[in-house]
Amino acid sequence: MSITTFHPPSRTLMGPGPSDVSPRVLEALARPTIGHLDPRFIDLMDELKHLIQYAFKTGNALTMPVSAPGSAGMECCFVNLVEPGDKVIVCQNGVFGGRMKENVVRAGGTVIAVDDEWGTAVDANKLEAALKANPDAGIVAFVQAETSTGVLSDARALTALARQFGCLTIVDTVTALGGVPVRVDEWGIDAVYSGSQKCLSCVPGLSPVSFSAAAQEKITSRKQPVQSWFLDLNLVMGYWGQGVKRAYHHTAPVNALYSLHEALLILREEGIENAWQRHQYHHQALRVGFAAMGLDFLVSENEQLPQLNAVVIPAGADDAAVRSRLLQEYQLEIGAGLGVLAGKVWRIGLMGHGCNQKNVLYCLGAMDAVLGYMGAEINQGAGVKAAMDYYAASG
Amino acid sequence: MSITTFHPPSRTLMGPGPSDVSPRVLEALARPTIGHLDPRFIDLMDELKHLIQYAFKTGNALTMPVSAPGSAGMECCFVNLVEPGDKVIVCQNGVFGGRMKENVVRAGGTVIAVDDEWGTAVDANKLEAALKANPDAGIVAFVQAETSTGVLSDARALTALARQFGCLTIVDTVTALGGVPVRVDEWGIDAVYSGSQKCLSCVPGLSPVSFSAAAQEKITSRKQPVQSWFLDLNLVMGYWGQGVKRAYHHTAPVNALYSLHEALLILREEGIENAWQRHQYHHQALRVGFAAMGLDFLVSENEQLPQLNAVVIPAGADDAAVRSRLLQEYQLEIGAGLGVLAGKVWRIGLMGHGCNQKNVLYCLGAMDAVLGYMGAEINQGAGVKAAMDYYAASG
């Protein structure tokens, strides 16, 4: 097999993640590797913990990046907090709530399902009914920003309800963090995980996590050991814990952590509140553009994530052919539908570094052109114009 | 907290890993991120599978990199192959055999321990006795290259024994791969894992794994689901499997995979047999150098790994002070002892890209200087001279 050095094409990444990565982050990634117990690396770890605390708006001591993607961050939360026999209420309104259920079952827990339609937010009334019907449930888990649909659920309200009934919460903020408000301490979230490759615009492969004192208490007082050695926080704390002499657990992904440090530094330089506003601002431009083209959003406006926009595939458009042509002719990646939404929606990401005017206009223009060529039922030319009017009026 | 862009110091990494990373690999790492389902990325995945097969000397279809460090690769092997109630013979002669035992227990299996002294190879006679005494054991696990001691065990002989008794094998080649022969197909190993940051000289964070047809059969016919969702190969195969339309399981660490592709390409360009020889060649130089200085190896020569050299800390030397001075004054990282060997040995790595004449001479010179200053009992000046004589004679 003839193999040579890989030179990736220069894509514009507007799918559900990974998102476009800043050159600053790629530069950080490529700096020389040093040891995972080097005193200078220990300093970096302290700074990184501080930056993750900043992003989550938490003072939690147990805050760190899991050395693996968001799915492992999810598993880290569940295997550490769920013991065999535990009852866990899982709210599902998309793919990732389903993955949470899998995690509960594999950790030996029992799932109490609170299901909502894909494309709508988690219904607090249903959660309340489940909490009332299951006084022995100890944990509530839900996804704040469903990557499969682009729906934002009310994490503040759901967490408050869970607390009212004495439950700990596990909250998925993989797509949320950096794009919409996540206030771990103010809302009282107990366990939270995210991913590096969405609105943080870092390379994929890391999962920031944070645990409240109550969660940490449950983890340290477990009756049975955590089923995963790699993700056992009782062991990982010897390396990432607060005030410990950092001892080897596993070899940290040193270079990836350089890049996360830089990505979070960029976020802090902008100010996370400004980042939230920027996501809203450019989302509105994309929204008016798609509306002018005659494309519908899957999700109602009050539940829409600015950073992830599911639009209904219009009549006359071939899902795969459109995406392929956008990729080949425009180097533009948009996302396909997942699960029951496959073939029904496209998912357009406006995340982190990639959430800007240039990308909004480029995406509208490229989709307008490709859908036009292919005879889909849209108002050709109207999308870019509407978005430019929006920018002109609001700039 | 004042935080700015992190600029790591330029270390020479001669500990137990991470090892020095080639500029080519760092350049590959920093290329623009593309999507994990991009057709060009799928091509890269096919090449990467081929390159990992090359390194392991296997044609196994189920060959891929786990998206996390070697410890997760280990866990991937155990949670997929061990079902609750399974009896697993684990040979332990250092830290990592102990970690294997932990993995068996956490997967619900029963450990049959075959223990050897730290610093000696796994004793095939003891394994044979354990196999005879436990005809119901189904799996034998051992570490080919113990990172905690620098001992090489005879993977060919141990695997042959296990097969003779109808057992599958799980073999740790984290430190072995690329530094000493690993012949997965010829020896008949069923499950094998390694790490990116040792003799492959890639950045830390990935774990190449490979599974035989028999192992794959056991995994697909499990009675109980794998306890880890993230590491469940029945699911991961949908993304990394042979001949599948690659479907999303988790977001692959795209940039890290660019770098592993480049690191393995460098290995193939050199030729893996040449890499094995290079490790032996420079190890001998280090050996004659240390011998001339009067430093003893922990391990007897016939069981010594060329890529990881545990030397006994000489009288009059303060372990931590010596390592700290090497790091501060010479930017040279060597490894401390682990577990029962803490404070007793140093671990000097000669791995992959860092296994070269320059590093051998630099290490001998720096250690000579620092040990001399600190009044340790060594023959000052003799080490570098002896190694240079070796190079002159063999060059």
Side-chain angles (χ1 to χ4, degrees):
Chain A
M1 190 172 190
S2 163
I3 301 177
T4 54
T5 292
F6 182 70
H7 292 279
S10 278
R11 307 294 198 204
T12 297
L13 301 180
M14 298 183 71
S19 60
D20 281 341
V21 177
S22 156
R24 269 181 66 180
V25 173
L26 294 174
E27 280 164 24
L29 186 62
R31 298 210 167 96
T33 307
I34 61 175
H36 54 288
L37 292 172
D38 192 300
R40 293 290 304 279
F41 190 69
I42 304 294
D43 292 344
L44 174 88
M45 291 169 69
D46 290 337
E47 292 184 358
L48 194 46
K49 175 176 296 203
H50 189 86
L51 289 167
I52 298 174
Q53 288 171 330
Y54 171 79
F56 278 132
K57 291 196 169 282
T58 184
N60 284 339
L62 188 50
T63 299
M64 60 181 201
V66 170
S67 305
S71 303
M74 177 191 286
E75 189 157 322
C76 178
C77 290
F78 282 92
V79 295
N80 278 280
L81 284 173
V82 179
E83 289 204 73
D86 281 357
K87 255 193 182 177
V88 182
I89 299 178
V90 179
C91 307
Q92 181 178 4
N93 63 336
V95 166
F96 294 90
R99 191 171 294 186
M100 284 179 153
K101 290 178 178 170
E102 272 292 325
N103 269 274
V104 172
V105 171
R106 291 179 192 226
T110 304
V111 172
I112 312 294
V114 172
D115 292 330
D116 280 291
E117 212 177 320
W118 290 33
T120 66
V122 172
D123 184 337
N125 293 323
K126 286 191 192 167
L127 172 59
E128 188 168 9
L131 283 161
K132 282 182 178 154
N134 296 278
D136 53 342
I139 299 174
V140 169
F142 63 88
V143 179
Q144 185 188 1
E146 243 304 338
T147 316
S148 59
T149 63
V151 160
L152 174 68
S153 289
D154 187 343
R156 178 202 298 260
L158 299 172
T159 304
L161 259 178
R163 286 169 68 87
Q164 194 183 316
F165 286 82
C167 286
L168 296 176
T169 44
I170 298 177
V171 183
D172 178 321
T173 66
V174 170
T175 290
L177 192 66
V180 291
V182 176
R183 301 178 186 274
V184 168
D185 285 0
E186 187 184 321
W187 298 347
I189 294 170
D190 292 295
V192 64
Y193 58 91
S194 189
S196 49
Q197 79 285 9
K198 309 278 185 180
C199 296
L200 303 183
S201 286
C202 183
V203 292
L206 295 173
S207 177
V209 295
S210 185
F211 298 86
S212 71
Q216 195 170 340
E217 166 66 23
K218 184 163 199 306
I219 295 166
T220 52
S221 60
R222 286 176 64 99
K223 289 174 213 80
Q224 298 206 16
V226 173
Q227 67 192 28
S228 168
W229 187 92
F230 174 59
L231 297 171
D232 184 347
L233 290 172
N234 293 299
L235 304 176
V236 176
M237 276 185 240
Y239 184 59
W240 273 106
Q242 197 100 323
V244 298
K245 185 181 174 307
R246 304 194 182 281
Y248 167 67
H249 172 258
H250 64 272
T251 303
V254 171
N255 291 68
L257 294 173
Y258 295 167
S259 71
L260 183 60
H261 180 273
E262 191 69 15
L264 289 167
L265 190 57
I266 291 171
L267 180 68
R268 202 178 72 156
E269 285 170 6
E270 178 179 18
I272 195 167
E273 288 80 3
N274 295 330
W276 299 336
Q277 279 188 4
R278 177 168 52 81
H279 282 85
Q280 274 299 344
Y281 176 65
H282 294 293
H283 160 72
Q284 286 305 328
L286 191 72
R287 170 174 288 279
V288 300
F290 280 138
M293 286 167 74
L295 295 182
D296 296 322
F297 277 69
L298 174 73
V299 175
S300 70
E301 193 160 355
N302 62 323
E303 294 176 348
Q304 176 64 53
L305 285 168
Q307 64 268 48
L308 189 58
N309 303 274
V311 295
V312 178
I313 298 176
D318 177 327
D319 172 20
V322 169
R323 284 187 290 109
S324 171
R325 217 160 154 173
L326 286 170
L327 197 68
Q328 302 306 328
E329 296 174 17
Y330 295 87
Q331 304 287 329
L332 173 64
E333 177 177 278
I334 65 169
L338 260 192
V340 298
L341 295 171
K344 300 196 173 132
V345 300
W346 290 312
R347 291 178 298 155
I348 320 285
L350 276 176
M351 296 181 176
H353 180 70
C355 179
N356 58 54
Q357 177 174 318
K358 182 176 169 187
N359 276 8
V360 167
L361 296 177
Y362 186 62
C363 175
L364 289 169
M367 288 187 69
D368 187 82
V370 168
L371 289 170
Y373 295 144
M374 300 182 80
E377 293 175 14
I378 59 158
N379 306 318
Q380 260 205 289
V384 174
K385 165 98 178 51
M388 290 180 80
D389 289 347
Y390 164 86
Y391 281 123
S394 60
Chain B
M1 192 173 188
S2 164
I3 301 177
T4 55
T5 292
F6 182 70
H7 292 280
S10 278
R11 307 294 198 203
T12 297
L13 300 180
M14 298 184 71
S19 60
D20 281 340
V21 178
S22 157
R24 268 179 69 179
V25 173
L26 293 174
E27 279 164 23
L29 185 64
R31 297 208 168 97
T33 307
I34 61 175
H36 54 287
L37 293 170
D38 192 300
R40 293 290 303 279
F41 189 71
I42 304 293
D43 293 344
L44 174 87
M45 289 168 69
D46 290 338
E47 294 185 357
L48 194 46
K49 176 176 295 205
H50 188 86
L51 289 168
I52 298 174
Q53 287 171 330
Y54 170 79
F56 278 132
K57 293 197 166 282
T58 184
N60 285 340
L62 187 51
T63 299
M64 60 182 199
V66 170
S67 304
S71 303
M74 177 190 287
E75 189 157 323
C76 178
C77 291
F78 283 92
V79 296
N80 279 280
L81 284 174
V82 178
E83 288 205 72
D86 281 358
K87 256 195 184 177
V88 182
I89 299 178
V90 179
C91 308
Q92 181 179 3
N93 62 339
V95 166
F96 294 91
R99 191 172 293 186
M100 285 179 152
K101 290 178 178 171
E102 272 291 325
N103 271 274
V104 172
V105 171
R106 291 179 190 226
T110 304
V111 172
I112 311 295
V114 173
D115 293 330
D116 280 291
E117 211 177 322
W118 290 34
T120 67
V122 172
D123 183 339
N125 293 324
K126 286 191 192 167
L127 172 59
E128 188 167 12
L131 284 161
K132 282 182 179 154
N134 296 279
D136 53 343
I139 299 175
V140 169
F142 63 88
V143 178
Q144 184 186 2
E146 242 304 338
T147 316
S148 58
T149 63
V151 161
L152 174 67
S153 289
D154 187 344
R156 177 201 298 261
L158 299 173
T159 304
L161 259 179
R163 287 169 68 86
Q164 194 184 314
F165 286 83
C167 285
L168 296 176
T169 44
I170 299 177
V171 183
D172 177 323
T173 66
V174 171
T175 289
L177 193 66
V180 292
V182 176
R183 301 178 186 275
V184 168
D185 285 1
E186 187 184 321
W187 298 347
I189 294 170
D190 292 294
V192 64
Y193 58 92
S194 190
S196 50
Q197 80 284 9
K198 310 277 187 183
C199 296
L200 303 181
S201 287
C202 183
V203 292
L206 295 172
S207 177
V209 295
S210 185
F211 298 86
S212 71
Q216 196 170 338
E217 166 66 22
K218 183 162 200 305
I219 295 166
T220 52
S221 61
R222 285 177 64 100
K223 288 174 213 80
Q224 298 207 15
V226 173
Q227 66 191 28
S228 169
W229 187 91
F230 175 60
L231 297 171
D232 185 347
L233 290 171
N234 293 299
L235 305 175
V236 176
M237 276 186 239
Y239 184 60
W240 273 107
Q242 197 99 323
V244 299
K245 183 181 175 309
R246 304 196 182 281
Y248 166 68
H249 172 257
H250 65 271
T251 303
V254 172
N255 291 67
L257 294 172
Y258 295 166
S259 71
L260 183 61
H261 180 273
E262 190 70 15
L264 289 166
L265 190 57
I266 291 171
L267 181 69
R268 202 177 73 157
E269 285 170 6
E270 178 179 18
I272 195 165
E273 289 81 2
N274 296 329
W276 300 336
Q277 280 188 4
R278 178 168 49 81
H279 282 85
Q280 274 299 343
Y281 177 63
H282 295 293
H283 159 72
Q284 285 305 326
L286 192 71
R287 169 174 289 281
V288 300
F290 280 139
M293 286 167 74
L295 293 182
D296 297 322
F297 277 68
L298 174 73
V299 175
S300 70
E301 191 159 357
N302 62 325
E303 295 177 346
Q304 175 64 54
L305 286 167
Q307 64 269 49
L308 188 59
N309 302 274
V311 295
V312 178
I313 298 177
D318 175 327
D319 172 21
V322 168
R323 286 187 288 107
S324 172
R325 217 160 154 173
L326 286 169
L327 197 67
Q328 301 308 325
E329 296 173 15
Y330 295 87
Q331 304 289 329
L332 174 64
E333 177 176 277
I334 65 168
L338 259 191
V340 298
L341 294 171
K344 298 192 177 138
V345 301
W346 290 313
R347 290 178 298 156
I348 319 283
L350 277 176
M351 296 180 175
H353 180 68
C355 179
N356 58 54
Q357 176 174 318
K358 182 176 167 188
N359 275 7
V360 167
L361 296 177
Y362 186 61
C363 176
L364 289 170
M367 287 186 70
D368 187 81
V370 167
L371 289 171
Y373 295 144
M374 298 181 81
E377 293 174 14
I378 60 158
N379 305 320
Q380 260 207 285
V384 174
K385 166 99 180 49
M388 290 180 81
D389 289 347
Y390 164 87
Y391 280 124
S394 62

